[in-house]
Coordinates of all heavy atoms in Angstrom, one line a residue:
M1 N 38.7 -25.3 55.6 CA 37.4 -25.5 56.1 C 36.9 -26.9 55.7 O 37.0 -27.3 54.6 CB 36.5 -24.4 55.5 CG 35.1 -24.6 56.0 SD 34.2 -23.1 55.3 CE 32.5 -23.8 55.3
N2 N 36.4 -27.6 56.7 CA 35.8 -28.9 56.4 C 34.3 -28.8 56.4 O 33.6 -28.1 57.1 CB 36.1 -29.9 57.6 CG 37.6 -30.2 57.7 OD1 38.3 -29.9 56.7 ND2 38.0 -30.7 58.8
S3 N 33.7 -29.5 55.4 CA 32.2 -29.6 55.3 C 31.9 -30.9 54.7 O 32.7 -31.6 54.3 CB 31.7 -28.4 54.4 OG 32.3 -28.5 53.1
G4 N 30.6 -31.3 54.9 CA 30.2 -32.6 54.4 C 28.8 -32.7 54.0 O 28.0 -31.8 54.3
S5 N 28.4 -33.8 53.5 CA 27.1 -34.1 53.0 C 26.8 -35.6 53.0 O 27.7 -36.4 52.6 CB 26.8 -33.5 51.6 OG 25.6 -33.8 51.2
D6 N 25.6 -36.0 53.3 CA 25.2 -37.4 53.3 C 24.3 -37.6 52.2 O 23.3 -36.9 52.0 CB 24.5 -37.7 54.7 CG 24.3 -39.2 54.9 OD1 24.2 -39.9 54.0 OD2 24.4 -39.5 56.1
F7 N 24.6 -38.6 51.3 CA 23.8 -38.8 50.1 C 23.4 -40.2 50.0 O 24.2 -41.2 50.1 CB 24.7 -38.5 48.8 CG 24.1 -38.8 47.5 CD1 23.0 -38.1 47.1 CD2 24.6 -39.8 46.7 CE1 22.5 -38.4 45.8 CE2 24.1 -40.1 45.5 CZ 23.0 -39.4 45.1
S8 N 22.1 -40.5 49.9 CA 21.6 -41.8 49.8 C 21.7 -42.3 48.3 O 21.1 -41.7 47.5 CB 20.1 -41.9 50.2 OG 19.6 -43.2 50.1
I9 N 22.5 -43.3 48.1 CA 22.8 -43.8 46.8 C 21.6 -44.6 46.3 O 21.2 -44.5 45.1 CB 24.1 -44.7 46.7 CG1 25.3 -43.8 47.0 CG2 24.2 -45.3 45.4 CD1 26.6 -44.6 47.1
T10 N 21.0 -45.5 47.1 CA 19.8 -46.3 46.8 C 18.6 -45.6 47.2 O 18.6 -44.9 48.2 CB 20.0 -47.7 47.4 OG1 20.0 -47.6 48.8 CG2 21.2 -48.4 46.8
E11 N 17.5 -45.9 46.5 CA 16.2 -45.3 46.9 C 15.8 -45.7 48.3 O 15.1 -44.9 49.0 CB 15.1 -45.7 45.9 CG 15.2 -45.0 44.6 CD 14.0 -45.4 43.7 OE1 13.0 -45.7 44.2 OE2 14.2 -45.3 42.4
T12 N 16.1 -46.9 48.7 CA 15.7 -47.4 50.0 C 16.6 -46.8 51.1 O 16.4 -47.0 52.3 CB 15.8 -48.9 50.1 OG1 17.2 -49.3 49.9 CG2 14.9 -49.5 49.1
G13 N 17.7 -46.2 50.8 CA 18.7 -45.6 51.7 C 19.6 -46.6 52.3 O 20.3 -46.4 53.3
S14 N 19.6 -47.8 51.7 CA 20.4 -48.9 52.3 C 21.9 -48.7 52.1 O 22.7 -49.3 52.8 CB 20.0 -50.3 51.7 OG 20.1 -50.3 50.3
L15 N 22.3 -47.8 51.2 CA 23.7 -47.5 50.9 C 23.8 -46.0 50.8 O 23.1 -45.4 50.0 CB 24.2 -48.2 49.7 CG 25.7 -47.9 49.3 CD1 26.6 -48.5 50.4 CD2 26.0 -48.4 48.0
R16 N 24.6 -45.4 51.6 CA 24.8 -44.0 51.6 C 26.3 -43.7 51.3 O 27.2 -44.4 51.7 CB 24.5 -43.4 53.0 CG 23.1 -43.6 53.4 CD 22.8 -43.0 54.8 NE 23.6 -43.8 55.8 CZ 24.5 -43.2 56.6 NH1 24.8 -41.9 56.5 NH2 25.1 -43.9 57.5
A17 N 26.5 -42.6 50.7 CA 27.8 -42.0 50.5 C 27.9 -40.7 51.4 O 27.0 -39.9 51.3 CB 28.1 -41.7 49.1
V18 N 29.0 -40.7 52.2 CA 29.2 -39.5 53.0 C 30.4 -38.7 52.4 O 31.5 -39.2 52.4 CB 29.4 -39.8 54.5 CG1 29.7 -38.6 55.3 CG2 28.2 -40.5 55.0
F19 N 30.1 -37.5 51.9 CA 31.1 -36.7 51.2 C 31.6 -35.7 52.2 O 30.9 -35.1 52.9 CB 30.5 -35.9 50.1 CG 30.1 -36.8 48.9 CD1 28.8 -37.3 48.9 CD2 30.9 -37.0 47.9 CE1 28.4 -38.1 47.8 CE2 30.5 -37.9 46.8 CZ 29.2 -38.3 46.8
R20 N 33.0 -35.6 52.3 CA 33.6 -34.6 53.1 C 34.6 -33.8 52.3 O 35.4 -34.5 51.7 CB 34.2 -35.2 54.4 CG 33.2 -35.7 55.4 CD 33.9 -36.2 56.6 NE 33.0 -36.6 57.6 CZ 32.4 -37.9 57.6 NH1 32.8 -38.7 56.6 NH2 31.5 -38.2 58.5
C21 N 34.5 -32.5 52.3 CA 35.5 -31.7 51.6 C 36.5 -31.1 52.6 O 36.1 -30.5 53.6 CB 34.8 -30.6 50.8 SG 33.7 -31.2 49.5
E22 N 37.7 -31.3 52.3 CA 38.8 -30.6 53.1 C 39.7 -29.9 52.1 O 40.6 -30.5 51.5 CB 39.6 -31.7 53.8 CG 38.7 -32.6 54.8 CD 39.5 -33.7 55.4 OE1 40.7 -34.0 55.0 OE2 38.9 -34.4 56.2
G23 N 39.5 -28.6 52.0 CA 40.2 -27.8 51.1 C 40.0 -28.3 49.7 O 38.8 -28.3 49.2
E24 N 41.0 -28.7 49.0 CA 40.9 -29.2 47.6 C 40.7 -30.6 47.5 O 40.7 -31.2 46.4 CB 42.1 -28.8 46.8 CG 42.2 -27.3 46.5 CD 41.0 -26.8 45.7 OE1 40.8 -27.3 44.6 OE2 40.4 -25.8 46.1
R25 N 40.4 -31.3 48.6 CA 40.2 -32.8 48.6 C 38.7 -33.1 48.8 O 38.0 -32.4 49.6 CB 41.0 -33.5 49.7 CG 42.4 -33.6 49.4 CD 43.1 -34.5 50.3 NE 42.4 -34.7 51.6 CZ 43.1 -35.0 52.7 NH1 44.3 -35.1 52.7 NH2 42.4 -35.1 53.8
V26 N 38.2 -34.1 48.2 CA 36.9 -34.7 48.4 C 37.1 -36.1 48.9 O 37.6 -36.9 48.2 CB 36.0 -34.6 47.1 CG1 34.6 -35.3 47.4 CG2 35.9 -33.2 46.6
N27 N 36.6 -36.4 50.1 CA 36.7 -37.7 50.7 C 35.3 -38.3 50.6 O 34.3 -37.6 50.9 CB 37.1 -37.7 52.1 CG 38.5 -37.1 52.3 OD1 39.4 -37.3 51.5 ND2 38.7 -36.4 53.3
V28 N 35.2 -39.6 50.3 CA 33.9 -40.3 50.3 C 34.0 -41.6 51.1 O 34.9 -42.4 50.8 CB 33.5 -40.7 48.8 CG1 32.1 -41.2 48.7 CG2 33.6 -39.5 47.9
D29 N 33.1 -41.7 52.0 CA 32.9 -43.0 52.8 C 31.6 -43.5 52.5 O 30.6 -42.8 52.3 CB 33.1 -42.7 54.3 CG 34.5 -42.3 54.7 OD1 35.4 -43.1 54.5 OD2 34.6 -41.1 55.2
F30 N 31.5 -44.9 52.5 CA 30.2 -45.6 52.2 C 29.7 -46.3 53.4 O 30.5 -46.9 54.2 CB 30.4 -46.5 51.1 CG 30.9 -45.9 49.8 CD1 32.3 -45.8 49.5 CD2 30.0 -45.2 48.9 CE1 32.7 -45.1 48.4 CE2 30.5 -44.6 47.8 CZ 31.8 -44.5 47.5
F31 N 28.4 -46.3 53.6 CA 27.8 -46.9 54.8 C 26.6 -47.7 54.3 O 25.8 -47.2 53.5 CB 27.4 -45.9 55.8 CG 28.5 -45.2 56.5 CD1 29.1 -44.1 55.9 CD2 29.0 -45.7 57.6 CE1 30.1 -43.4 56.5 CE2 30.1 -45.0 58.3 CZ 30.6 -43.9 57.7
A32 N 26.5 -48.9 54.8 CA 25.3 -49.7 54.7 C 24.7 -49.7 56.1 O 25.3 -50.3 57.0 CB 25.6 -51.1 54.2
G33 N 23.6 -49.0 56.3 CA 23.1 -48.8 57.7 C 24.1 -48.0 58.4 O 24.5 -46.9 57.9
E34 N 24.6 -48.4 59.5 CA 25.6 -47.7 60.3 C 27.0 -48.3 60.1 O 27.9 -47.7 60.6 CB 25.2 -47.7 61.8 CG 23.9 -47.0 62.1 CD 23.9 -45.6 61.7 OE1 24.9 -44.8 61.9 OE2 22.9 -45.1 61.1
Q35 N 27.1 -49.3 59.3 CA 28.4 -50.0 59.1 C 29.1 -49.4 57.8 O 28.5 -49.4 56.8 CB 28.2 -51.5 58.9 CG 29.5 -52.2 58.8 CD 29.3 -53.7 58.7 OE1 28.2 -54.2 58.9 NE2 30.4 -54.4 58.5
Q36 N 30.3 -49.0 58.0 CA 31.1 -48.6 56.9 C 31.5 -49.7 56.0 O 31.8 -50.8 56.5 CB 32.4 -47.9 57.4 CG 33.2 -47.2 56.2 CD 34.3 -46.3 56.7 OE1 34.4 -46.1 57.8 NE2 35.1 -45.9 55.7
V37 N 31.3 -49.6 54.7 CA 31.7 -50.6 53.7 C 32.7 -50.0 52.7 O 32.7 -48.8 52.4 CB 30.4 -51.1 53.0 CG1 29.5 -51.8 53.9 CG2 29.7 -50.0 52.2
G38 N 33.6 -50.9 52.3 CA 34.5 -50.4 51.3 C 35.6 -49.5 51.9 O 35.5 -49.2 53.1
Q39 N 36.5 -49.1 51.0 CA 37.5 -48.1 51.4 C 37.1 -46.7 51.2 O 36.3 -46.4 50.4 CB 38.8 -48.4 50.6 CG 39.3 -49.8 50.7 CD 40.4 -49.8 51.8 OE1 41.1 -48.9 52.0 NE2 40.5 -51.0 52.4
R40 N 37.7 -45.8 52.0 CA 37.5 -44.4 51.8 C 38.1 -44.0 50.4 O 39.2 -44.5 50.1 CB 38.1 -43.5 52.9 CG 38.1 -42.0 52.5 CD 38.7 -41.2 53.6 NE 37.7 -41.2 54.7 CZ 37.9 -40.8 55.9 NH1 39.1 -40.3 56.2 NH2 37.0 -40.7 56.8
L41 N 37.4 -43.3 49.7 CA 37.9 -42.7 48.4 C 38.4 -41.3 48.6 O 37.6 -40.5 49.3 CB 36.9 -42.8 47.3 CG 36.3 -44.2 47.0 CD1 35.2 -44.0 45.9 CD2 37.4 -45.1 46.5
V42 N 39.5 -40.9 48.1 CA 40.0 -39.6 48.2 C 40.3 -39.1 46.8 O 41.0 -39.7 46.1 CB 41.3 -39.6 49.1 CG1 41.8 -38.2 49.2 CG2 41.0 -40.1 50.5
F43 N 39.8 -37.9 46.5 CA 40.0 -37.3 45.2 C 40.4 -35.9 45.4 O 40.0 -35.2 46.4 CB 38.6 -37.2 44.4 CG 38.0 -38.5 44.2 CD1 36.9 -39.0 45.0 CD2 38.3 -39.3 43.0 CE1 36.3 -40.1 44.8 CE2 37.6 -40.4 42.8 CZ 36.6 -40.9 43.6
T44 N 41.2 -35.3 44.5 CA 41.3 -33.9 44.4 C 39.9 -33.4 43.8 O 39.2 -34.2 43.2 CB 42.4 -33.4 43.5 OG1 42.1 -33.8 42.1 CG2 43.8 -34.0 43.9
R45 N 39.6 -32.1 43.9 CA 38.4 -31.7 43.3 C 38.4 -31.9 41.8 O 37.3 -32.2 41.3 CB 38.1 -30.2 43.7 CG 37.7 -30.1 45.1 CD 37.2 -28.7 45.6 NE 36.3 -28.2 44.7 CZ 36.0 -26.9 44.6 NH1 36.6 -26.0 45.4 NH2 35.1 -26.4 43.8
I46 N 39.5 -31.7 41.2 CA 39.5 -31.9 39.7 C 39.3 -33.4 39.4 O 38.5 -33.7 38.5 CB 40.9 -31.5 39.1 CG1 41.0 -30.0 39.2 CG2 41.1 -32.0 37.7 CD1 42.4 -29.4 38.9
Q47 N 39.9 -34.3 40.1 CA 39.7 -35.7 39.9 C 38.2 -36.1 40.2 O 37.6 -36.9 39.4 CB 40.5 -36.6 40.9 CG 42.0 -36.5 40.5 CD 42.8 -37.2 41.6 OE1 42.5 -37.1 42.8 NE2 43.9 -37.8 41.2
A48 N 37.6 -35.5 41.2 CA 36.2 -35.8 41.6 C 35.3 -35.4 40.4 O 34.4 -36.1 40.0 CB 35.8 -35.1 42.9
A49 N 35.5 -34.2 39.9 CA 34.7 -33.7 38.8 C 34.9 -34.6 37.6 O 33.9 -35.0 36.9 CB 35.1 -32.3 38.4
E50 N 36.1 -35.0 37.2 CA 36.3 -35.8 36.0 C 35.7 -37.2 36.2 O 35.1 -37.7 35.3 CB 37.8 -35.9 35.7 CG 38.4 -34.6 35.2 CD 39.9 -34.6 35.1 OE1 40.6 -35.6 35.6 OE2 40.4 -33.6 34.6
E51 N 36.0 -37.9 37.4 CA 35.5 -39.2 37.6 C 34.0 -39.2 37.7 O 33.3 -40.1 37.2 CB 36.2 -39.8 38.9 CG 35.8 -41.2 39.2 CD 36.3 -42.2 38.2 OE1 37.0 -41.9 37.3 OE2 36.1 -43.4 38.5
G52 N 33.5 -38.2 38.4 CA 32.0 -38.1 38.5 C 31.3 -38.0 37.2 O 30.3 -38.6 36.9
K53 N 31.9 -37.2 36.3 CA 31.4 -37.0 34.9 C 31.4 -38.3 34.2 O 30.4 -38.7 33.6 CB 32.1 -35.9 34.2 CG 31.7 -35.7 32.8 CD 32.5 -34.7 32.0 CE 31.9 -34.5 30.6 NZ 32.8 -33.8 29.7
R54 N 32.5 -39.0 34.3 CA 32.7 -40.3 33.6 C 31.6 -41.3 34.2 O 31.0 -42.0 33.4 CB 34.1 -40.9 33.8 CG 34.3 -42.1 32.9 CD 35.6 -42.8 33.3 NE 35.6 -43.4 34.6 CZ 34.8 -44.4 35.0 NH1 34.0 -45.0 34.1 NH2 34.8 -44.9 36.2
I55 N 31.5 -41.4 35.5 CA 30.6 -42.3 36.1 C 29.1 -42.0 35.7 O 28.3 -42.9 35.3 CB 30.7 -42.3 37.6 CG1 32.0 -42.9 38.1 CG2 29.5 -43.1 38.3 CD1 32.4 -42.7 39.5
A56 N 28.8 -40.7 35.7 CA 27.4 -40.3 35.3 C 27.1 -40.6 33.9 O 26.0 -41.0 33.6 CB 27.3 -38.8 35.6
E57 N 28.1 -40.4 33.0 CA 27.8 -40.7 31.6 C 27.8 -42.2 31.3 O 27.0 -42.6 30.4 CB 28.9 -40.0 30.8 CG 28.8 -38.5 30.7 CD 30.0 -37.8 30.0 OE1 30.9 -38.5 29.7 OE2 29.9 -36.6 29.8
T58 N 28.6 -43.0 31.9 CA 28.7 -44.4 31.5 C 27.9 -45.3 32.4 O 27.6 -46.4 32.0 CB 30.2 -44.9 31.6 OG1 30.7 -44.8 32.9 CG2 31.1 -44.0 30.7
G59 N 27.6 -44.9 33.6 CA 27.0 -45.8 34.6 C 27.9 -46.9 35.1 O 27.5 -47.9 35.7
S60 N 29.2 -46.8 34.8 CA 30.2 -47.7 35.2 C 31.1 -47.1 36.2 O 31.5 -46.0 36.1 CB 31.0 -48.2 34.0 OG 32.1 -49.0 34.3
W61 N 31.5 -47.9 37.2 CA 32.3 -47.4 38.3 C 33.2 -48.5 38.9 O 32.7 -49.4 39.5 CB 31.4 -46.8 39.4 CG 32.0 -46.3 40.6 CD1 33.3 -45.9 40.8 CD2 31.3 -46.1 41.8 NE1 33.4 -45.4 42.1 CE2 32.2 -45.6 42.8 CE3 30.0 -46.4 42.3 CZ2 31.9 -45.3 44.0 CZ3 29.7 -46.0 43.6 CH2 30.6 -45.5 44.4
K62 N 34.4 -48.5 38.6 CA 35.3 -49.6 39.0 C 35.6 -49.7 40.5 O 35.8 -50.8 41.0 CB 36.7 -49.5 38.2 CG 37.5 -48.3 38.6 CD 38.7 -48.3 37.8 CE 39.5 -46.9 38.1 NZ 40.6 -46.7 37.1
S63 N 35.4 -48.6 41.2 CA 35.6 -48.7 42.7 C 34.3 -48.9 43.4 O 34.2 -48.5 44.6 CB 36.2 -47.4 43.1 OG 37.5 -47.2 42.5
Q64 N 33.2 -49.3 42.8 CA 31.9 -49.4 43.3 C 31.9 -50.3 44.6 O 32.4 -51.5 44.5 CB 31.0 -50.1 42.3 CG 29.6 -50.1 42.6 CD 28.7 -50.5 41.4 OE1 29.0 -50.0 40.3 NE2 27.8 -51.4 41.6
P65 N 31.5 -49.8 45.7 CA 31.6 -50.6 47.0 C 30.6 -51.8 47.0 O 30.9 -52.8 47.7 CB 31.2 -49.6 48.1 CG 30.4 -48.6 47.4 CD 30.9 -48.5 46.0
I66 N 29.5 -51.7 46.3 CA 28.5 -52.8 46.3 C 28.2 -53.1 44.9 O 27.7 -52.3 44.1 CB 27.1 -52.3 47.0 CG1 27.4 -51.8 48.4 CG2 26.1 -53.4 47.0 CD1 27.9 -52.8 49.4
P67 N 28.6 -54.3 44.4 CA 28.6 -54.6 43.0 C 27.1 -54.7 42.4 O 27.0 -54.6 41.2 CB 29.2 -56.0 42.9 CG 29.7 -56.4 44.2 CD 29.3 -55.4 45.2
E68 N 26.1 -54.9 43.3 CA 24.8 -55.1 42.7 C 24.0 -53.8 42.6 O 22.8 -53.8 42.3 CB 24.0 -55.9 43.7 CG 24.5 -57.3 43.9 CD 25.6 -57.4 44.9 OE1 25.7 -56.6 45.8 OE2 26.5 -58.3 44.8
L69 N 24.7 -52.6 42.5 CA 24.0 -51.3 42.4 C 23.4 -51.2 41.0 O 24.0 -51.6 40.0 CB 24.9 -50.2 42.6 CG 25.3 -49.9 44.1 CD1 26.3 -48.7 44.1 CD2 24.1 -49.6 44.9
A70 N 22.2 -50.7 40.9 CA 21.5 -50.4 39.7 C 22.3 -49.3 38.9 O 22.9 -48.4 39.6 CB 20.1 -49.9 39.9
T71 N 22.3 -49.4 37.6 CA 23.0 -48.4 36.8 C 22.5 -46.9 37.2 O 23.3 -46.0 37.2 CB 22.8 -48.7 35.3 OG1 23.3 -50.0 35.1 CG2 23.6 -47.6 34.5
S72 N 21.2 -46.8 37.4 CA 20.7 -45.5 37.7 C 21.3 -45.0 39.0 O 21.5 -43.8 39.2 CB 19.2 -45.5 37.8 OG 18.7 -46.4 38.8
D73 N 21.5 -45.8 40.0 CA 22.1 -45.4 41.3 C 23.5 -45.0 41.1 O 24.0 -44.1 41.7 CB 22.0 -46.6 42.3 CG 20.5 -46.9 42.7 OD1 19.7 -46.0 42.6 OD2 20.3 -48.0 43.2
V74 N 24.3 -45.8 40.3 CA 25.6 -45.5 40.0 C 25.7 -44.1 39.3 O 26.6 -43.3 39.7 CB 26.3 -46.6 39.1 CG1 27.7 -46.2 38.7 CG2 26.4 -47.9 39.9
K75 N 24.9 -43.9 38.4 CA 24.9 -42.6 37.7 C 24.6 -41.4 38.6 O 25.2 -40.3 38.6 CB 23.9 -42.6 36.5 CG 24.4 -43.4 35.3 CD 23.4 -43.3 34.2 CE 23.9 -44.0 33.0 NZ 23.0 -43.9 31.8
S76 N 23.6 -41.6 39.5 CA 23.3 -40.6 40.5 C 24.5 -40.3 41.4 O 24.7 -39.1 41.7 CB 22.1 -41.0 41.4 OG 20.9 -41.1 40.7
F77 N 25.2 -41.3 41.8 CA 26.4 -41.1 42.6 C 27.4 -40.2 41.8 O 28.0 -39.3 42.3 CB 27.1 -42.4 43.0 CG 28.4 -42.2 43.6 CD1 28.6 -41.8 44.9 CD2 29.6 -42.3 42.8 CE1 29.9 -41.6 45.5 CE2 30.8 -42.1 43.4 CZ 31.0 -41.8 44.7
G78 N 27.6 -40.6 40.5 CA 28.5 -39.8 39.6 C 28.1 -38.4 39.5 O 29.0 -37.5 39.6
I79 N 26.8 -38.1 39.4 CA 26.4 -36.7 39.3 C 26.8 -35.9 40.6 O 27.3 -34.8 40.5 CB 24.9 -36.7 39.0 CG1 24.6 -37.2 37.6 CG2 24.3 -35.2 39.3 CD1 23.1 -37.4 37.4
R80 N 26.6 -36.6 41.7 CA 26.8 -35.9 43.0 C 28.3 -35.7 43.1 O 28.8 -34.6 43.6 CB 26.3 -36.7 44.1 CG 26.4 -36.1 45.5 CD 25.7 -34.8 45.6 NE 24.3 -34.8 45.4 CZ 23.4 -34.8 46.4 NH1 23.7 -34.8 47.6 NH2 22.1 -34.9 46.1
L81 N 29.1 -36.7 42.8 CA 30.6 -36.6 42.9 C 31.1 -35.5 42.0 O 31.9 -34.6 42.4 CB 31.3 -37.9 42.5 CG 32.8 -37.9 42.5 CD1 33.3 -37.7 43.9 CD2 33.3 -39.3 42.0
K82 N 30.6 -35.4 40.8 CA 30.9 -34.3 39.9 C 30.6 -32.9 40.4 O 31.4 -32.0 40.4 CB 30.2 -34.5 38.5 CG 30.5 -33.4 37.5 CD 29.7 -33.8 36.2 CE 29.9 -32.7 35.1 NZ 29.1 -31.5 35.4
Q83 N 29.4 -32.8 41.1 CA 29.0 -31.5 41.7 C 30.0 -31.1 42.8 O 30.4 -30.0 42.8 CB 27.6 -31.7 42.2 CG 26.6 -31.8 41.2 CD 25.2 -32.0 41.8 OE1 25.0 -32.5 42.9 NE2 24.2 -31.9 40.9
Y84 N 30.4 -32.1 43.6 CA 31.3 -31.7 44.7 C 32.7 -31.4 44.1 O 33.4 -30.6 44.7 CB 31.4 -32.8 45.7 CG 30.2 -32.9 46.6 CD1 29.5 -34.2 46.8 CD2 29.6 -31.8 47.2 CE1 28.4 -34.2 47.5 CE2 28.5 -31.9 47.9 CZ 27.8 -33.1 48.1 OH 26.7 -33.2 48.9
G85 N 33.1 -32.1 43.1 CA 34.3 -31.7 42.5 C 34.3 -30.3 41.9 O 35.3 -29.5 42.0
E86 N 33.2 -29.9 41.3 CA 33.1 -28.6 40.7 C 32.9 -27.5 41.7 O 33.4 -26.4 41.6 CB 32.0 -28.6 39.7 CG 32.3 -29.4 38.5 CD 31.1 -29.5 37.5 OE1 30.0 -29.2 37.8 OE2 31.4 -30.0 36.3
N87 N 32.1 -27.8 42.7 CA 31.6 -26.7 43.6 C 32.1 -26.8 45.1 O 31.8 -26.0 45.9 CB 30.1 -26.7 43.6 CG 29.5 -26.5 42.2 OD1 30.0 -25.7 41.4 ND2 28.5 -27.3 41.9
G88 N 32.7 -28.0 45.4 CA 33.0 -28.2 46.9 C 31.7 -28.7 47.5 O 30.6 -28.8 46.9
C89 N 31.8 -29.0 48.8 CA 30.7 -29.6 49.6 C 29.8 -28.5 50.1 O 30.2 -27.4 50.4 CB 31.2 -30.4 50.7 SG 32.0 -32.0 50.2

């Protein structure tokens, strides 16, 4: 079963993460407006939960598609990634 969710990373909505779950995989695509930015990220659900937890705790994210993101925005993304890893989309 495929399912998905659109998550605004920045308060202005200028950067969004689109999460799609396909079985035990969590795919993440990033969009600035309607334009895709960066590479699609693919995680197992376990990897998504672990990486999301690390990002949420540290505010650091090596695969960050936009380097100028505020730490609070990075942490919010981590929280959401962790949730999808633990619960699916």
